[in-house]
Amino acid sequence: MWELIQTYWVYFLVGQYPNGPLGGLALTVLLAALALLVSLPLGIALGLARVSPYRAIRWPVTAGVYLVRGVPLLMVIFWAYFFLPSLTGHKTDQFRTMLMALVVFDSVYLAEIVRAGIHGVPKGQVEAARSLGLGYLATMRLVVLPQGLRHMLPSLVNQFVATIKATSLGYIIGLTEVSFIAAQINTQVFTQSTAVYTLLALAYFVLCFGLSRFAYWLEQRTHTVRVSA
Amino acid sequence: MLHFDLNLLRTGQYHDLLVSGLLLSLQLAGTTLVLALPLGAAIALLRLSPLRLLRSLGWLYVESIRNVPLLAHLLFWYFGAPELLPDALKEWLYARNIEAISAVVALTLYTAAYMAEDIRSGIRAVPWVQTEASRALGLGFLATMRLVVLPQALRVTIPPLLSQTLNLWKDTSVATVIGVAELMYQAAKVESASFRSAEAFAFATSAYLLVSLAITGLGAWYHHRYPVRTV
């Protein structure tokens, strides 16, 4: 296994990078971070729509959330990769396809996190803001969301972990993220599959375990802040 | 505009492929559920054990499984693990449906880690005083568990277990990467054979969605029928 690391570690981490497109673990992290960043405002908008007092807004968004949560992510990727080109007439590259699928998926899951965050803010806060003369949107923006987002912080880090795990599905459309690179290394060395895939699992573990510990630490920290405030 | 050919899905070889994929997906999910539930319960008990060593073992299992994507688990169990087996066992395995067996192993280990956490938090949600009270009434440890703790724990555990089953159902689609001929695999096969991506994916999407909504509905019904009691 040590020889394997010595030969392939650069390829594993960044793919063909300076001489070719970025890949490997770096692409995995970049894709997950970008997906979360793009879907965060969308998720907040959808989350607000889920708790909206207007049925015309609440119902279609709720239906959309159930639809996306009811199908596997792989299905969304397949639609984007195979079906979209026949509609638009030109093929989207793997990175953009994956980013699109992840944004659709993440924003729906974030919407539920935002909804829970909003529900976690005591009702008295809304009543107080409304009685001070703030409108619905101003109440949300100035009073509810700042508090809700703070409760959501640990869940957001967990969603980042989930997104990192989800990027592995890019493998199936040939995106050169870390699982795909591992499979390529596997075909090159070909008698050491166990070592290659153990390394892959270890790489994911270090990344995700570190992040989930960070989420746990954040949870402890925001908890004490909330209690003392 | 595209033409949607419903007949393609009603009869013929493509119909047969898609239906056989759906059946295999359901089988995968069913087998995994039956295997993962007891394993999950055992791991939950490990994590609640009074012995530190057993607790750490349970913790190690859950953390090491949950922080690695299912895809990596599948690749490991399909390409990596059989390498380590003795030749006789390897031959026996390859004579059978090695793809499906690897998928069931990976899915079971993965799902059990999540179910263990649900079961553990369900048991922990029962206040400790309940145990103390029933012990004070003269019930033994097993009777306390069976008559007092578990009935209350199950009530709060079933909804998260159902949503875990929903995740399992969706996760079966990932088994396509190691060539298990389940629904997603057949949909892709029909797509590449007929170039009718809309029809193939519409079938798969509605099948996934219908089963998912059925599981969600079951959860909602349970929640309504057996609401969580607050002590």
Side-chain angles (χ1 to χ4, degrees):
Chain A
M1 192 187 260
W2 182 237
E3 248 174 73
L4 208 69
I5 299 177
Q6 277 186 321
T7 325
Y8 289 107
W9 68 277
V10 181
Y11 189 51
F12 193 74
L13 286 182
V14 293
Q16 302 173 312
Y17 177 50
N19 314 311
L22 185 69
L25 207 57
L27 188 72
T28 294
V29 176
L30 178 75
L31 187 62
L34 212 57
L36 201 66
L37 224 63
V38 177
S39 48
L40 191 58
L42 260 170
I44 292 176
L46 289 176
L48 281 175
R50 282 276 274 151
V51 296
S52 159
Y54 305 107
R55 278 182 196 165
I57 299 175
R58 201 172 63 228
W59 283 4
V61 172
T62 305
V65 168
Y66 270 84
L67 176 77
V68 176
R69 280 165 57 108
V71 299
L73 174 60
L74 206 49
M75 200 74 246
V76 181
I77 298 171
F78 270 30
W79 277 109
Y81 195 61
F82 292 105
F83 183 63
L84 212 58
S86 65
L87 272 186
T88 57
H90 57 89
K91 210 165 171 78
T92 326
D93 64 43
Q94 287 102 333
F95 185 81
R96 274 183 217 158
T97 305
M98 202 54 207
L99 187 61
M100 263 194 307
L102 283 174
V103 164
V104 168
F105 227 65
D106 266 351
S107 54
V108 163
Y109 282 83
L110 286 176
E112 295 301 277
I113 294 176
V114 171
R115 192 168 78 108
I118 291 175
H119 279 311
V121 177
K123 210 166 176 239
Q125 297 281 327
V126 179
E127 289 165 352
R130 296 308 291 265
S131 68
L132 284 171
L134 293 180
Y136 179 77
L137 284 180
T139 302
M140 281 295 166
R141 190 168 56 85
L142 297 170
V143 178
V144 177
L145 276 181
Q147 299 183 65
L149 283 173
R150 197 211 192 98
H151 297 223
M152 283 161 42
L153 222 54
S155 308
L156 281 181
V157 181
N158 277 330
Q159 188 61 33
F160 188 43
V161 174
T163 312
I164 287 177
K165 287 166 67 184
T167 55
S168 65
L169 292 181
Y171 171 92
I172 202 161
I173 55 171
L175 179 72
T176 54
E177 43 72 56
V178 69
S179 304
F180 190 82
I181 296 282
Q184 281 190 324
I185 294 175
N186 182 44
T187 49
Q188 278 172 37
V189 294
F190 123 155
T191 49
Q192 302 175 50
S193 301
T194 321
V196 171
Y197 290 119
T198 306
L199 266 182
L200 175 69
L202 271 176
Y204 276 121
F205 177 78
V206 169
L207 198 61
C208 298
F209 183 70
L211 274 166
S212 64
R213 286 287 100 177
F214 176 62
Y216 181 72
W217 176 80
L218 266 180
E219 201 172 345
Q220 302 288 318
R221 197 164 161 271
T222 47
H223 189 68
T224 40
V225 168
R226 196 168 65 218
V227 169
S228 64
Chain B
M1 193 46 212
L2 290 143
H3 167 69
F4 194 90
D5 185 8
L6 201 61
N7 272 329
L8 188 99
L9 301 179
R10 278 214 205 99
T11 49
Q13 52 158 334
Y14 295 137
H15 164 87
D16 296 344
L17 282 178
L18 289 167
V19 171
S20 78
L22 174 59
L23 290 179
L24 187 61
S25 283
L26 287 168
Q27 272 176 1
L28 268 184
T31 316
T32 304
L33 186 62
V34 169
L35 295 173
L37 262 178
L39 183 60
I43 308 246
L45 287 180
L46 273 186
R47 291 210 61 181
L48 290 167
S49 149
L51 293 176
R52 202 200 169 101
L53 181 71
L54 293 183
R55 274 206 310 273
S56 329
L57 268 178
W59 178 85
L60 192 70
Y61 177 88
V62 169
E63 292 297 337
S64 57
I65 298 270
R66 288 203 310 181
N67 284 308
V68 173
L70 178 60
L71 184 100
H73 284 288
L74 281 162
L75 294 176
F76 177 83
W77 288 106
Y78 182 59
F79 291 109
E83 223 176 65
L84 304 172
L85 294 174
D87 285 338
L89 191 59
K90 233 183 344 195
E91 259 171 52
W92 183 85
L93 266 178
Y94 279 102
R96 272 149 194 84
N97 191 347
I98 175 84
E99 289 86 8
I101 295 173
S102 310
V104 166
V105 170
L107 279 167
T108 300
L109 294 178
Y110 190 75
T111 309
Y114 285 89
M115 288 189 161
E117 290 300 276
D118 292 337
I119 295 171
R120 182 175 74 107
S121 54
I123 294 176
R124 284 190 53 190
V126 179
W128 182 241
V129 288
Q130 298 276 331
T131 309
E132 287 173 345
S134 86
R135 293 309 290 269
L137 285 171
L139 294 181
F141 177 76
L142 284 178
T144 300
M145 274 290 161
R146 189 166 58 85
L147 298 170
V148 179
V149 178
L150 284 180
Q152 299 183 68
L154 274 181
R155 233 186 154 90
V156 287
T157 310
I158 295 229
L161 280 183
L162 276 172
S163 89
Q164 216 50 68
T165 309
L166 173 59
N167 282 338
L168 164 63
W169 167 243
K170 293 191 286 176
D171 282 342
T172 57
S173 67
V174 186
T176 195
V177 294
I178 56 170
V180 182
E182 43 71 74
L183 182 55
M184 192 66 73
Y185 181 89
Q186 300 290 20
K189 194 169 160 186
V190 169
E191 196 272 343
S192 61
S194 65
F195 295 106
R196 315 287 324 180
S197 48
E199 285 85 349
F201 295 156
F203 180 94
T205 303
S206 29
Y208 278 119
L209 194 60
L210 277 178
V211 175
S212 295
L213 289 178
I215 297 173
T216 312
L218 196 64
W221 172 83
Y222 187 87
H223 192 71
H224 185 74
R225 179 73 183 74
Y226 303 101
V228 175
R229 288 177 185 146
T230 42
V231 183

